[in-house]
């Protein structure tokens, strides 16, 4: 029992930075939705207008799900909070479970634990208890945000529960993926694919009336069906609970039966040499990253097609002055036209490509902390060449993603007879790059200056900047604070003109940061874990 | 004779820890140099500075006259490194790893490499992640040896190797020496150092406390003289440089750190049955430095 407690405490402490930042996000988003709604739609007429023009809009449903009541604060918040935070909750659950199980095992620490007087069952259950405690933290944070906003306690608690419920399912999925895959990387890939599928199903169900039943096969849909503040259906809670328990039971059974350090999916450990992409350190880095690059392409490509398909669904009628004001604050004054909608959606590709850049920084740092960098740099490989090569790979990957987004969104729109040109859409894709590359360069600088914290800093920066751009405007904060976010300087191409000056400034800053990063990296020690 | 490694006043500080304190070191070309010291003495730190992976807090290190920090790439063209722990690319097989490292190094002696693969009994089609620790260590070793680099920097290269592989390693170092390669060998295995090294340096708390050929180190250290008598041993009285202890009913053990003459003179009238004198083993020299090292004696 003492051992179990020690393991659980260790696991909780390992994840505390991530849990704390997600909790902050949950609390803030919940709070901002409440105050933002009351601020933007003070009168019943505003709310009716809003419901009228947005309630049935497929593109809006794509992001937030199906609204059930847009006339009350609770109904609105339930819709918005549920739509966004459920995805984050699922992501957190996946990351937390894989971190607690597979990462430990891959590092060989699980073996140490099991070599002590600890049973296999305990070694599985104790970290899961810690993860469950993390779910409670997230729930508390969301609840606190709602309560501070002034919503009723009981319903708020239920909404917060609905919001974190996908985390339970994805903890189970992460635990199962950790049994299937022998490496953290593959486990996360399995889990991410499952999350992508869950999201895709929810989007299809929410935007296609003939396929609404699909909402019942995705954990993100279950959360919607709990309908906090809009005629609660607490019975639905059984679904995520059952799914989570079932997944965990299966995972535990596998964990008990397999060798420590192995996964259930057999990996072929022997093969004739394949000598492609070994001609330089950069080529070899591409060899290692090409699988994940393909995953990013598939994910971004899928959403680009969907955005294209849905680009003409905004109704042009019934827009009151207040609505237009609200849209303007979102930067989407022209969102009612297809090209306006596309311009708005592409803001999400800035985020996605920014996150891709974060992943590149994390990969850089992992190469160093695993000390493979030491092996590499003790060969005749220069530091500048190594970092420059990695930078070039990240830039080229970003460009590929941006252009793929433009191309596929154009293709999706074309099938709907929407008149946007291919060059315009490729331009919309390219328009994502300056802000994303600025994040990349800042990440490199962090890698050079504070290597151990670099991945966390970069992910944190991108998330905060995005949330700030999306919700900061609802808070009536001074304009210069909004200007701080690079997202604020992205013109909504193709509807708005390309903001050439802003893009040039961001690229110049990025270049300066990247050069600074290379200079500093040349002069620092190579630091391991 | 030009030197393969030259360090002058080389120091490294990590926060409060002075890991290396003003090291002066010269390793001649073609020499096999053993680098000894207890855990945390600063051996790996020295090597990281020699490789330009860490930046000296003071002083400088040169490899074949090339500054290790300023121009690491040129220096690395002439050396190969085996790290204390094998950090390789888990998804590559050994064969792919050899190819990759050879490409980065600008070539390898492929025929010799095949011989080494045979000698170290490596399965080159296996991915690194599926190899045992010892086998991963062997991958590193083969890659370094096959590079035929002028200088081999080896940080505890045989940790995790079985005795047969240890023999294979020694054979390979002998071959390297015969070809005129320089070897810098950090190790905890004293028999290995004794068998391979021309010169030895002993590091303690970041300072080089002793250095020289094995013979020279032995001469400077205490000899052990064991004397067996017919009956009760005589009182030998105080003798300069001799430490006397009882070693049984009719025997004495003397640690002689100076000339042996005074002891022989004192024994002139004693009824000695047997007298053995032996040089200290490297282990004894080593333990002597570890125990008394804080006085900085050499
Ligand atoms: N990156 C680092 N940051 C902080 N301290 C370090 C770092 N590397 C080494 N040290 C400290 O420097 C000292 C020397 O360490 P070093 O690794 O050189 O020892 P070593 O002689 O190689 O020991 P071992 O025989 O155990 O390998 C130790 O006190 C260690 O804690
Ligand atoms: Mg060491």
């Amino acid at each position: 029992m003492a051992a179990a407690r020690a393991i659980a405490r260790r696991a909780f402490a390992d994840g505390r930075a991530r849990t704390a930042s997600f909790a902050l996000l949950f609390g803030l988003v919940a709070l901002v939705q409440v105050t933002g709604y009351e601020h933007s739609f003070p009168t019943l007429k505003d709310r009716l207008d809003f419901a009228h023009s947005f309630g049935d809009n497929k593109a809006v449903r794509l992001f937030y799900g199906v609204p059930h009541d847009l006339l009350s604060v609770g109904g609105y918040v339930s819709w918005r909070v549920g739509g966004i935070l459920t995805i984050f909750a699922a992501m957190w659950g996946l990351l937390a479970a894989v971190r607690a199980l597979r990462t430990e095992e891959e590092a060989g620490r699980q073996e140490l634990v099991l070599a002590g007087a600890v049973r296999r069952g305990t070694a599985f259950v104790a970290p899961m208890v810690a993860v469950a405690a993390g779910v409670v933290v997230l729930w508390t944070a969301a609840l606190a945000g709602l309560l501070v906003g002034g919503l009723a306690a009981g319903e708020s608690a239920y909404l917060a529960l609905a919001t974190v419920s996908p985390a339970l399912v994805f903890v189970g999925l992460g635990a199962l993926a950790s049994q299937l895959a022998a490496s953290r990387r593959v486990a996360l890939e399995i889990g991410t694919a499952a999350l992508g599928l869950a999201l895709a199903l929810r989007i299809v169900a929410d935007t296609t009336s003939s396929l609404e039943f699909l909402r019942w096969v995705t954990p993100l849909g279950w959360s919607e069906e709990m309908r906090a503040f809009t005629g609660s259906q607490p019975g639905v809670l059984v679904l995520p609970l059952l799914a989570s328990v079932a997944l965990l039971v299966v995972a535990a059974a596998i964990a008990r039966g397999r060798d420590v350090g192995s996964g259930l999916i057999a990996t072929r450990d022997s093969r004739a040499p394949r000598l492609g992409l070994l001609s330089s350190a950069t080529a070899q880095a591409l060899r290692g990253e090409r699988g994940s690059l393909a995953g990013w392409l598939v994910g971004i490509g899928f959403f680009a097609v969907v955005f294209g398909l849905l680009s003409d669904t905004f109704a042009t009628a019934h827009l009151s002055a207040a609505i237009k004001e609200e849209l303007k604050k979102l930067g989407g004054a022209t969102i009612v036209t297809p090209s306006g909608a596309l311009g708005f959606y592409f803001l999400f590709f800035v985020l996605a490509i920014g996150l891709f850049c974060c992943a590149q920084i994390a990969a850089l740092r992992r190469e160093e902390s695993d000390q493979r960098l030491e092996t590499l740099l003790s060969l005749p490989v220069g530091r500048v060449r190594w970092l420059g090569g990695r930078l070039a790979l990240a830039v080229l990957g970003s460009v590929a993603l941006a252009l793929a987004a433009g191309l596929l969104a154009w293709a999706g729109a074309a099938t709907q007879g929407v008149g946007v040109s291919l060059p315009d859409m490729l331009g919309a894709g390219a328009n994502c790059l300056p802000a994303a590359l600025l994040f990349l360069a800042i990440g490199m600088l962090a890698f050079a200056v504070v290597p151990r914290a670099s991945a966390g800093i970069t992910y944190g920066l991108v998330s905060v900047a995005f949330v700030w751009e999306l919700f900061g405007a609802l808070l009536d904060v001074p304009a210069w604070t909004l200007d701080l976010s690079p997202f604020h300087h992205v013109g909504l191409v193709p509807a708005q003109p390309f903001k050439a000056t802003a893009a040039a400034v961001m690229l110049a800053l990025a270049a300066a940061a990247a050069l600074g990063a290379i200079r500093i990296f040349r002069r620092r020690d190579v630091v391991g874990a | 004779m030009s030197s393969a490694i030259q360090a002058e006043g080389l120091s490294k500080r990590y926060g409060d820890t002075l890991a290396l304190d003003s090291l002066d070191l010269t390793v001649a070309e073609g020499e096999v140099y053993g680098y000894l010291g207890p855990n945390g003495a600063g051996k790996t730190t020295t090597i990281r500075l020699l490789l330009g992976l860490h930046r000296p807090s003071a002083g400088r290190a040169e490899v074949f006259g090339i500054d290790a920090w300023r121009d690491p790439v040129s220096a690395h063209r002439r050396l190969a490194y085996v790290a204390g722990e094998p950090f390789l690319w888990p998804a590559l097989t050994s064969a792919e790893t050899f190819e990759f490292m050879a490409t980065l190094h600008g070539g390898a002696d492929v025929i010799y490499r095949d011989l080494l693969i045979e000698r170290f009994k490596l399965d080159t089609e296996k991915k690194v992640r599926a190899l045992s620790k010892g086998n991963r260590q062997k991958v590193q070793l083969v890659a370094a040896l096959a590079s035929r680099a002028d200088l081999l920097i080896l940080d505890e290269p045989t940790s995790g190797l079985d005795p047969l592989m240890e023999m294979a390693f020694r054979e390979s170092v002998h071959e390297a020496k015969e070809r005129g390669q320089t070897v810098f060998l950090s190790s905890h295995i004293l028999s290995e150092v004794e068998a391979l090294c021309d010169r030895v340096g002993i590091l303690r708390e970041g300072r080089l406390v002793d250095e020289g050929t094995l013979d020279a180190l032995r001469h400077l250290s205490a000899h052990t003289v064991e004397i067996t008598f017919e009956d009760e041993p005589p009182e030998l009285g105080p003798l300069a440089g001799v430490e006397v202890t009882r070693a049984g009913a009719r025997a004495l053990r003397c640690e002689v750190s100076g000339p042996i003459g005074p002891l022989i003179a004192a024994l002139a009238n004693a009824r000695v049955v047997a007298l053995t004198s032996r040089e200290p083993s490297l282990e004894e020299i080593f333990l002597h430095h570890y125990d008394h090292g804080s006085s900085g004696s050499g």
Side-chain angles (χ1 to χ4, degrees), chain A residues 269-271 274 278 287 370-372 374-375 377-379 383 522-523 525-526, chain B residues 12 48 52-55 69 73 76 81 87-89 91 96 100 103 125-127:
Chain A
D269 288 328
S270 288
R271 64 156 183 238
R274 292 183 198 154
L278 289 177
R287 180 176 163 133
D370 291 351
Q371 301 194 28
R372 275 171 289 136
E374 195 169 313
T375 309
L377 292 185
S378 60
L379 291 157
R383 291 179 181 219
R522 277 179 68 173
R523 302 177 61 79
D525 294 350
V526 174
Chain B
K12 181 65 185 177
R48 289 196 168 124
L53 292 170
H54 287 197
R55 188 179 184 188
W69 174 254
V73 175
H76 295 175
Y81 166 55
F87 295 112
L88 297 165
W89 298 271
E96 290 161 359
F100 181 44
T103 308
E125 299 211 331
K126 235 182 182 173
K127 286 191 187 167

Short mmCIF file of all heavy atoms in Angstrom, two decimals, chain A residues 269-271 274 278 287 370-372 374-375 377-379 383 522-523 525-526, chain B residues 12 48 52-55 69 73 76 81 87-89 91 96 100 103 125-127:
data_model
loop_
_atom_site.label_atom_id
_atom_site.label_comp_id
_atom_site.label_asym_id
_atom_site.label_seq_id
_atom_site.Cartn_x
_atom_site.Cartn_y
_atom_site.Cartn_z
N ASP A 269 12.16 -6.82 -35.47
CA ASP A 269 13.38 -6.21 -34.98
C ASP A 269 14.57 -6.46 -35.90
O ASP A 269 15.64 -5.92 -35.68
CB ASP A 269 13.69 -6.73 -33.58
CG ASP A 269 12.73 -6.15 -32.56
OD1 ASP A 269 12.30 -5.01 -32.77
OD2 ASP A 269 12.40 -6.85 -31.60
N SER A 270 14.38 -7.32 -36.89
CA SER A 270 15.50 -7.61 -37.80
C SER A 270 15.08 -7.30 -39.22
O SER A 270 13.92 -7.50 -39.59
CB SER A 270 15.89 -9.08 -37.69
OG SER A 270 16.54 -9.32 -36.48
N ARG A 271 16.01 -6.83 -39.99
CA ARG A 271 15.73 -6.64 -41.42
C ARG A 271 17.04 -6.38 -42.14
O ARG A 271 18.04 -6.00 -41.56
CB ARG A 271 14.78 -5.46 -41.61
CG ARG A 271 15.37 -4.15 -41.17
CD ARG A 271 14.73 -2.95 -41.87
NE ARG A 271 15.41 -1.74 -41.44
CZ ARG A 271 14.79 -0.73 -40.86
NH1 ARG A 271 13.50 -0.76 -40.62
NH2 ARG A 271 15.46 0.35 -40.52
N ARG A 274 18.42 -0.93 -44.87
CA ARG A 274 17.86 0.02 -45.83
C ARG A 274 18.69 1.27 -45.72
O ARG A 274 18.73 1.91 -44.66
CB ARG A 274 16.43 0.35 -45.45
CG ARG A 274 15.52 -0.84 -45.65
CD ARG A 274 14.11 -0.43 -45.34
NE ARG A 274 13.32 -1.63 -45.11
CZ ARG A 274 12.24 -1.65 -44.35
NH1 ARG A 274 11.84 -0.56 -43.74
NH2 ARG A 274 11.57 -2.76 -44.19
N LEU A 278 20.40 8.21 -45.28
CA LEU A 278 21.42 8.15 -44.24
C LEU A 278 22.63 8.98 -44.64
O LEU A 278 23.69 8.88 -44.03
CB LEU A 278 21.86 6.70 -44.01
CG LEU A 278 20.84 5.79 -43.31
CD1 LEU A 278 21.38 4.37 -43.22
CD2 LEU A 278 20.50 6.30 -41.92
N ARG A 287 14.40 10.89 -42.05
CA ARG A 287 14.05 9.48 -42.02
C ARG A 287 13.26 9.16 -40.74
O ARG A 287 12.27 8.44 -40.76
CB ARG A 287 15.34 8.65 -42.09
CG ARG A 287 15.13 7.17 -42.05
CD ARG A 287 16.49 6.48 -42.23
NE ARG A 287 16.40 5.09 -41.81
CZ ARG A 287 16.88 4.07 -42.52
NH1 ARG A 287 17.50 4.28 -43.65
NH2 ARG A 287 16.76 2.85 -42.08
N ASP A 370 18.05 12.46 -24.96
CA ASP A 370 18.38 11.04 -25.08
C ASP A 370 19.86 10.84 -25.40
O ASP A 370 20.30 9.71 -25.59
CB ASP A 370 17.57 10.39 -26.22
CG ASP A 370 16.11 10.28 -25.88
OD1 ASP A 370 15.76 10.55 -24.72
OD2 ASP A 370 15.32 9.93 -26.78
N GLN A 371 20.60 11.92 -25.50
CA GLN A 371 22.05 11.93 -25.73
C GLN A 371 22.45 11.39 -27.09
O GLN A 371 23.63 11.12 -27.31
CB GLN A 371 22.78 11.21 -24.59
CG GLN A 371 22.44 11.90 -23.28
CD GLN A 371 23.35 11.51 -22.14
OE1 GLN A 371 24.49 11.16 -22.35
NE2 GLN A 371 22.85 11.58 -20.94
N ARG A 372 21.49 11.23 -28.00
CA ARG A 372 21.89 10.89 -29.36
C ARG A 372 22.61 12.07 -29.99
O ARG A 372 23.45 11.90 -30.86
CB ARG A 372 20.65 10.53 -30.18
CG ARG A 372 20.25 9.08 -30.03
CD ARG A 372 18.93 8.83 -30.69
NE ARG A 372 17.86 9.44 -29.91
CZ ARG A 372 16.86 10.14 -30.45
NH1 ARG A 372 16.80 10.32 -31.73
NH2 ARG A 372 15.93 10.66 -29.67
N GLU A 374 24.77 13.93 -28.55
CA GLU A 374 26.17 13.83 -28.16
C GLU A 374 26.91 12.89 -29.11
O GLU A 374 28.02 13.17 -29.56
CB GLU A 374 26.26 13.35 -26.71
CG GLU A 374 27.62 13.55 -26.12
CD GLU A 374 27.64 13.32 -24.62
OE1 GLU A 374 26.75 13.84 -23.92
OE2 GLU A 374 28.54 12.62 -24.17
N THR A 375 26.26 11.76 -29.42
CA THR A 375 26.86 10.82 -30.36
C THR A 375 27.08 11.49 -31.71
O THR A 375 28.14 11.35 -32.33
CB THR A 375 25.93 9.60 -30.54
OG1 THR A 375 25.59 9.10 -29.25
CG2 THR A 375 26.60 8.51 -31.34
N LEU A 377 27.28 14.79 -32.45
CA LEU A 377 28.21 15.91 -32.47
C LEU A 377 29.64 15.49 -32.17
O LEU A 377 30.56 16.27 -32.32
CB LEU A 377 27.76 17.00 -31.49
CG LEU A 377 26.47 17.73 -31.85
CD1 LEU A 377 26.20 18.85 -30.88
CD2 LEU A 377 26.55 18.28 -33.27
N SER A 378 29.84 14.25 -31.72
CA SER A 378 31.22 13.80 -31.55
C SER A 378 31.76 13.22 -32.86
O SER A 378 32.92 12.88 -32.97
CB SER A 378 31.33 12.78 -30.42
OG SER A 378 30.54 11.67 -30.72
N LEU A 379 30.87 13.13 -33.85
CA LEU A 379 31.32 12.84 -35.21
C LEU A 379 31.61 14.19 -35.88
O LEU A 379 31.29 15.23 -35.32
CB LEU A 379 30.21 12.08 -35.96
CG LEU A 379 29.98 10.66 -35.45
CD1 LEU A 379 28.60 10.17 -35.79
CD2 LEU A 379 31.04 9.74 -36.04
N ARG A 383 27.70 21.92 -35.20
CA ARG A 383 26.46 22.29 -34.52
C ARG A 383 25.56 23.11 -35.41
O ARG A 383 24.35 22.94 -35.43
CB ARG A 383 26.79 23.12 -33.28
CG ARG A 383 27.45 22.31 -32.21
CD ARG A 383 27.74 23.22 -31.04
NE ARG A 383 28.41 22.46 -29.99
CZ ARG A 383 28.16 22.62 -28.71
NH1 ARG A 383 27.30 23.52 -28.30
NH2 ARG A 383 28.80 21.90 -27.83
N ARG A 522 25.67 27.48 -30.47
CA ARG A 522 27.08 27.18 -30.72
C ARG A 522 27.93 27.29 -29.47
O ARG A 522 29.01 26.71 -29.38
CB ARG A 522 27.64 28.19 -31.74
CG ARG A 522 27.34 27.83 -33.15
CD ARG A 522 27.89 28.88 -34.06
NE ARG A 522 29.35 28.87 -34.05
CZ ARG A 522 30.07 29.61 -34.87
NH1 ARG A 522 29.49 30.39 -35.74
NH2 ARG A 522 31.38 29.57 -34.81
N ARG A 523 27.46 28.10 -28.54
CA ARG A 523 28.31 28.42 -27.40
C ARG A 523 27.90 27.70 -26.13
O ARG A 523 28.48 27.92 -25.07
CB ARG A 523 28.29 29.93 -27.15
CG ARG A 523 28.76 30.73 -28.35
CD ARG A 523 28.67 32.20 -28.09
NE ARG A 523 29.50 32.60 -26.97
CZ ARG A 523 30.82 32.79 -27.06
NH1 ARG A 523 31.43 32.61 -28.21
NH2 ARG A 523 31.51 33.15 -26.00
N ASP A 525 26.83 24.25 -23.62
CA ASP A 525 27.11 22.84 -23.42
C ASP A 525 25.95 22.02 -23.98
O ASP A 525 24.81 22.46 -23.99
CB ASP A 525 27.23 22.52 -21.92
CG ASP A 525 28.45 23.18 -21.29
OD1 ASP A 525 29.28 23.72 -22.03
OD2 ASP A 525 28.55 23.15 -20.05
N VAL A 526 26.27 20.81 -24.40
CA VAL A 526 25.22 19.87 -24.78
C VAL A 526 24.72 19.25 -23.48
O VAL A 526 25.49 18.64 -22.74
CB VAL A 526 25.79 18.78 -25.70
CG1 VAL A 526 24.75 17.72 -25.98
CG2 VAL A 526 26.27 19.40 -27.00
N LYS B 12 36.62 22.93 -15.74
CA LYS B 12 35.19 23.00 -16.01
C LYS B 12 34.42 23.07 -14.70
O LYS B 12 34.62 22.28 -13.79
CB LYS B 12 34.73 21.77 -16.80
CG LYS B 12 33.25 21.78 -17.14
CD LYS B 12 32.89 22.91 -18.09
CE LYS B 12 31.40 23.01 -18.34
NZ LYS B 12 31.05 24.15 -19.19
N ARG B 48 34.39 15.19 -22.55
CA ARG B 48 33.44 16.11 -23.21
C ARG B 48 34.13 17.41 -23.61
O ARG B 48 33.77 18.01 -24.62
CB ARG B 48 32.27 16.42 -22.27
CG ARG B 48 31.37 15.21 -22.11
CD ARG B 48 30.04 15.61 -21.53
NE ARG B 48 29.10 14.52 -21.66
CZ ARG B 48 28.45 13.97 -20.64
NH1 ARG B 48 28.62 14.43 -19.41
NH2 ARG B 48 27.63 12.98 -20.85
N GLY B 52 34.78 18.99 -27.40
CA GLY B 52 34.11 20.26 -27.68
C GLY B 52 32.62 20.20 -27.47
O GLY B 52 31.87 21.01 -28.00
N LEU B 53 32.15 19.22 -26.68
CA LEU B 53 30.71 19.15 -26.40
C LEU B 53 30.35 20.11 -25.28
O LEU B 53 29.25 20.63 -25.22
CB LEU B 53 30.32 17.72 -25.99
CG LEU B 53 30.41 16.67 -27.08
CD1 LEU B 53 30.25 15.28 -26.50
CD2 LEU B 53 29.38 16.92 -28.16
N HIS B 54 31.28 20.29 -24.36
CA HIS B 54 31.11 21.28 -23.31
C HIS B 54 32.20 22.32 -23.45
O HIS B 54 33.27 22.05 -23.97
CB HIS B 54 31.17 20.62 -21.92
CG HIS B 54 29.95 19.82 -21.60
ND1 HIS B 54 29.64 19.43 -20.32
CD2 HIS B 54 28.95 19.36 -22.38
CE1 HIS B 54 28.50 18.75 -20.35
NE2 HIS B 54 28.07 18.68 -21.59
N ARG B 55 31.89 23.49 -22.95
CA ARG B 55 32.80 24.60 -23.13
C ARG B 55 33.68 24.76 -21.90
O ARG B 55 33.17 24.82 -20.78
CB ARG B 55 31.96 25.86 -23.29
CG ARG B 55 32.75 27.03 -23.68
CD ARG B 55 31.85 28.21 -23.84
NE ARG B 55 32.65 29.32 -24.31
CZ ARG B 55 32.21 30.54 -24.41
NH1 ARG B 55 30.99 30.81 -24.08
NH2 ARG B 55 33.00 31.48 -24.83
N TRP B 69 37.29 23.24 -28.84
CA TRP B 69 36.04 23.99 -28.74
C TRP B 69 35.77 24.81 -29.98
O TRP B 69 34.66 24.86 -30.48
CB TRP B 69 36.07 24.89 -27.50
CG TRP B 69 34.87 25.79 -27.44
CD1 TRP B 69 34.84 27.13 -27.69
CD2 TRP B 69 33.53 25.41 -27.16
NE1 TRP B 69 33.56 27.60 -27.58
CE2 TRP B 69 32.73 26.57 -27.24
CE3 TRP B 69 32.91 24.19 -26.84
CZ2 TRP B 69 31.36 26.56 -27.03
CZ3 TRP B 69 31.54 24.18 -26.62
CH2 TRP B 69 30.78 25.36 -26.72
N VAL B 73 34.70 20.26 -35.64
CA VAL B 73 34.49 19.40 -36.81
C VAL B 73 35.82 18.91 -37.37
O VAL B 73 35.99 17.72 -37.65
CB VAL B 73 33.66 20.14 -37.87
CG1 VAL B 73 33.53 19.30 -39.12
CG2 VAL B 73 32.27 20.45 -37.31
N HIS B 76 37.19 16.35 -35.07
CA HIS B 76 36.47 15.07 -35.08
C HIS B 76 36.75 14.24 -36.34
O HIS B 76 36.54 13.05 -36.34
CB HIS B 76 34.95 15.32 -34.97
CG HIS B 76 34.57 15.92 -33.65
ND1 HIS B 76 33.30 16.32 -33.35
CD2 HIS B 76 35.32 16.20 -32.56
CE1 HIS B 76 33.28 16.83 -32.13
NE2 HIS B 76 34.49 16.78 -31.64
N TYR B 81 34.93 8.31 -31.15
CA TYR B 81 34.57 8.34 -29.73
C TYR B 81 33.65 7.19 -29.40
O TYR B 81 32.72 6.88 -30.15
CB TYR B 81 33.90 9.70 -29.46
CG TYR B 81 33.17 9.84 -28.14
CD1 TYR B 81 33.80 9.59 -26.92
CD2 TYR B 81 31.84 10.27 -28.13
CE1 TYR B 81 33.11 9.76 -25.73
CE2 TYR B 81 31.16 10.45 -26.93
CZ TYR B 81 31.79 10.19 -25.74
OH TYR B 81 31.12 10.36 -24.57
N PHE B 87 24.38 5.51 -26.74
CA PHE B 87 23.19 6.25 -27.15
C PHE B 87 23.16 6.29 -28.67
O PHE B 87 23.84 7.10 -29.28
CB PHE B 87 23.19 7.66 -26.57
CG PHE B 87 23.09 7.67 -25.08
CD1 PHE B 87 24.15 8.09 -24.31
CD2 PHE B 87 21.93 7.25 -24.46
CE1 PHE B 87 24.06 8.08 -22.93
CE2 PHE B 87 21.83 7.24 -23.08
CZ PHE B 87 22.90 7.66 -22.32
N LEU B 88 22.39 5.38 -29.24
CA LEU B 88 22.34 5.27 -30.70
C LEU B 88 20.91 5.51 -31.17
O LEU B 88 20.07 5.92 -30.39
CB LEU B 88 22.86 3.89 -31.11
CG LEU B 88 24.32 3.65 -30.73
CD1 LEU B 88 24.67 2.18 -30.81
CD2 LEU B 88 25.26 4.46 -31.60
N TRP B 89 20.66 5.21 -32.44
CA TRP B 89 19.34 5.45 -33.02
C TRP B 89 18.56 4.15 -32.97
O TRP B 89 18.87 3.21 -33.72
CB TRP B 89 19.51 5.98 -34.43
CG TRP B 89 20.22 7.28 -34.43
CD1 TRP B 89 19.67 8.52 -34.33
CD2 TRP B 89 21.64 7.48 -34.46
NE1 TRP B 89 20.66 9.47 -34.30
CE2 TRP B 89 21.87 8.86 -34.37
CE3 TRP B 89 22.75 6.63 -34.52
CZ2 TRP B 89 23.15 9.41 -34.37
CZ3 TRP B 89 24.01 7.18 -34.52
CH2 TRP B 89 24.20 8.55 -34.45
N ALA B 91 15.83 2.97 -34.02
CA ALA B 91 15.10 2.39 -35.16
C ALA B 91 16.03 1.93 -36.27
O ALA B 91 15.59 1.34 -37.25
CB ALA B 91 14.11 3.41 -35.71
N GLU B 96 22.84 -0.42 -40.54
CA GLU B 96 22.48 0.95 -40.94
C GLU B 96 23.25 1.97 -40.09
O GLU B 96 23.68 3.00 -40.60
CB GLU B 96 20.97 1.15 -40.79
CG GLU B 96 20.16 0.37 -41.82
CD GLU B 96 18.70 0.19 -41.43
OE1 GLU B 96 18.31 0.64 -40.34
OE2 GLU B 96 17.96 -0.42 -42.21
N PHE B 100 25.64 4.83 -41.52
CA PHE B 100 25.36 6.24 -41.18
C PHE B 100 26.60 6.90 -40.56
O PHE B 100 27.04 7.97 -40.99
CB PHE B 100 24.17 6.28 -40.22
CG PHE B 100 23.75 7.66 -39.80
CD1 PHE B 100 23.66 8.69 -40.72
CD2 PHE B 100 23.43 7.93 -38.47
CE1 PHE B 100 23.25 9.96 -40.33
CE2 PHE B 100 23.02 9.19 -38.08
CZ PHE B 100 22.94 10.20 -39.00
N THR B 103 29.37 7.33 -43.07
CA THR B 103 29.11 8.44 -43.99
C THR B 103 29.45 9.77 -43.32
O THR B 103 30.12 10.62 -43.91
CB THR B 103 27.63 8.47 -44.41
OG1 THR B 103 27.29 7.16 -44.87
CG2 THR B 103 27.39 9.47 -45.50
N GLU B 125 21.74 -7.32 -38.54
CA GLU B 125 20.41 -7.05 -39.09
C GLU B 125 19.41 -6.70 -37.99
O GLU B 125 18.25 -6.43 -38.26
CB GLU B 125 19.92 -8.26 -39.87
CG GLU B 125 20.83 -8.59 -41.04
CD GLU B 125 20.10 -9.20 -42.21
OE1 GLU B 125 19.08 -9.87 -41.97
OE2 GLU B 125 20.56 -9.02 -43.36
N LYS B 126 19.86 -6.72 -36.76
CA LYS B 126 18.95 -6.42 -35.66
C LYS B 126 18.89 -4.92 -35.40
O LYS B 126 19.91 -4.24 -35.46
CB LYS B 126 19.45 -7.13 -34.40
CG LYS B 126 18.38 -8.00 -33.78
CD LYS B 126 18.87 -8.66 -32.53
CE LYS B 126 17.78 -9.55 -31.99
NZ LYS B 126 18.23 -10.35 -30.88
N LYS B 127 17.69 -4.43 -35.11
CA LYS B 127 17.58 -3.02 -34.78
C LYS B 127 18.22 -2.75 -33.42
O LYS B 127 18.16 -3.59 -32.51
CB LYS B 127 16.11 -2.61 -34.73
CG LYS B 127 15.49 -2.51 -36.10
CD LYS B 127 14.14 -1.85 -36.02
CE LYS B 127 13.47 -1.92 -37.38
NZ LYS B 127 12.06 -1.58 -37.30
#
